[in-house]
Every structure is written in C-alpha cells, then in structure tokens.
Amino acid sequence: MRGRAWDRPSSSSRREMEALRSMLLQCVEMLQMAPSLLLGSAELLMEGDLVVPRTRNALACGNNACLWKKSSNGKVEVPYTVSSSFSSYEKGAIETAMSVFNTQTCIKFVPRSSESDYVAIENRDGCFSSLGRTGGRQELSLKRDGCVYHGIIQHELNHALGFYHEQTRSDRDQYVTINWEYIDPTTYHNFQKQITNNLDTPYDYSSVMHYGRYAFTTQYGKETITPIPDSRVEIGQRMGLSRTDIQRINKLYGCCE
Ligand SMILES: [Zn+2]
C-alpha cells in the first residue's frame, strides 16, 4: 500500500535508474544552487510517494474530514515534529519551505505541543506522505539523501494538506496523454484519474504536484506523460509551489472567507 522509492517493476530498468541516480547524486553538492537540475534523482525518490487511503478522496471527502481544522482566528494550524536525525541545515530548509505556506496561505505549520493530529517528518526510505489529515500521528518522509529540497518538501507537505498529483486530476485527459505502453501494470495506480475537486482552477503544468514526463517509465528515454497539444510544455518542476498551487490551498481551506 505504501508507495516507496524504488518501487519498480523491471530489474533491468531499476539497474539503469539506479546507475543514473547514483551518477546524479554525485552531482548534488554542485547543483544545490540549481534545484531544477536535480529532477533526475528527486523524481526517482518521489515516484509512488503518495500513501493513499483507498476508501476516500481527500479533495472530495465527506464533511471535509480529511482536511486540517480551521481555528476561530481563520488560521489552519498544522502541528508538526521534525526528527532529530536531520541536520540544522536540513531543519532550516524544512522551515523555509513551510514559511511559504505560512505567509501566502492561511495554513500555519506550527511545532507540535500536545496536539493529537500532527505530521511527523522523518528520514525514511524515500520521499512520501499521506493524503490529507489522517488523524493521529502521520508520517511524512524526507530521505536525507535526496528529498530535503525546497520544492520536494513543499510537494510532500501539499500531499499532507490533501492534494493529489496534478496529472491524476479528473480532467487530465484534455491536457496530457498517458503512454500506458511504457508503464508497468503494477504501477498503473499512479496514473489513475481521481475524482478530484479542481477548485475551479486551470490544469497547471507548472504545479509542484505534477509528475515529470518520464515518471515510472519502463524504457529509458520513453515518456509516460506527454502534454497535449504542445508536447514541449515543461512539466515536473520542483522549484516550489506555483501560483496556482497557492491559489488552490487558499480555495480549499477557505482562506479568504
Ligand atoms: Zn507526490
């Protein structure tokens, strides 16, 4: 059930990707000033990163039970803890990623005191998160080796707020073609359309929640997701929340009400 990094069907493809990843990781130090160039390694760690409860849909759940609760002051506090295994630099990166939510939306990530529902940020095997508020302690993993980057942190936090991957939107077939021939059936679920509440916002190729074009490919160099009608449109950026990502958070949580 829990999607993990390296959840790959073909051992030859896995070997290729592992070789690619290790090559990319050697460059990580050099590339820290250019996070978009890290997409190769980051995407591998993020594939299948959504821990989805099959029984509900976060963006369309009854009584908004899967959303975080708004206080009387209009803020939506999301308590969190950060594992002591992260360095102070990494903790700073996590706080910086959260600060964008805190300043541009009514979401306020706050260090947990004694709240029962909270996000526990841990260094597990990959980058992954549950979808929406699950109730109780919910883990959000940022593997130290590959996940602690601004856009990736925001991507996982956005899952915890209730957002699916952009390319699983209910209306995605008008905007992207899924190339099923390069996807192994065991990973089909990552490309299934969801009954999403699209919040009256346009499909956003630049969403931090959109997969890259080679996500889960079984053949190196073959696209699994192709934008239409213009196949050259960039997808899969992990620089950070897009304008529409921020707008959606504000709409979903009624920040302007
Ligand atoms: Zn994801």
Side-chain angles (χ1 to χ4, degrees), residues 137-227:
R137 178 183 190 272
Q138 64 185 79
E139 276 198 359
L140 183 157
S141 171
L142 298 173
K143 184 178 166 70
R144 291 185 68 194
D145 182 10
C147 303
V148 191
Y149 295 99
H150 190 73
I152 298 175
I153 300 166
Q154 292 187 334
H155 176 108
E156 300 304 338
L157 291 171
N158 221 22
H159 278 320
L161 295 181
F163 289 94
Y164 277 104
H165 293 126
E166 185 73 356
Q167 78 282 348
T168 65
R169 256 173 74 130
S170 53
D171 60 352
R172 66 103 188 275
D173 290 335
Q174 299 171 48
Y175 304 97
V176 292
T177 300
I178 304 298
N179 305 310
W180 296 101
E181 64 270 37
Y182 302 122
I183 303 170
D184 188 276
T186 61
T187 65
Y188 276 178
H189 61 275
N190 292 292
F191 297 89
Q192 300 294 344
K193 276 188 287 188
Q194 305 291 337
I195 306 164
T196 51
N197 171 1
N198 299 326
L199 299 159
D200 203 23
T201 54
Y203 190 91
D204 182 12
Y205 293 114
S206 69
S207 170
V208 79
M209 306 310 286
H210 205 302
Y211 269 170
R213 59 183 72 231
Y214 302 106
F216 283 98
T217 190
T218 54
Q219 285 187 48
Y220 183 73
K222 297 292 186 185
E223 296 181 0
T224 53
I225 305 173
T226 304

Side-chain angles (χ1 to χ4, degrees), residues 53-65:
R54 297 281 175 187
T55 50
R56 68 177 191 213
N57 180 306
L59 284 180
C61 58
N63 297 325
N64 288 339

Side-chain angles (χ1 to χ4, degrees), residues 34-47:
S36 66
L37 297 176
L38 292 171
L39 280 180
S41 59
E43 281 200 352
L44 292 182
L45 285 167
M46 292 180 70
E47 286 183 1

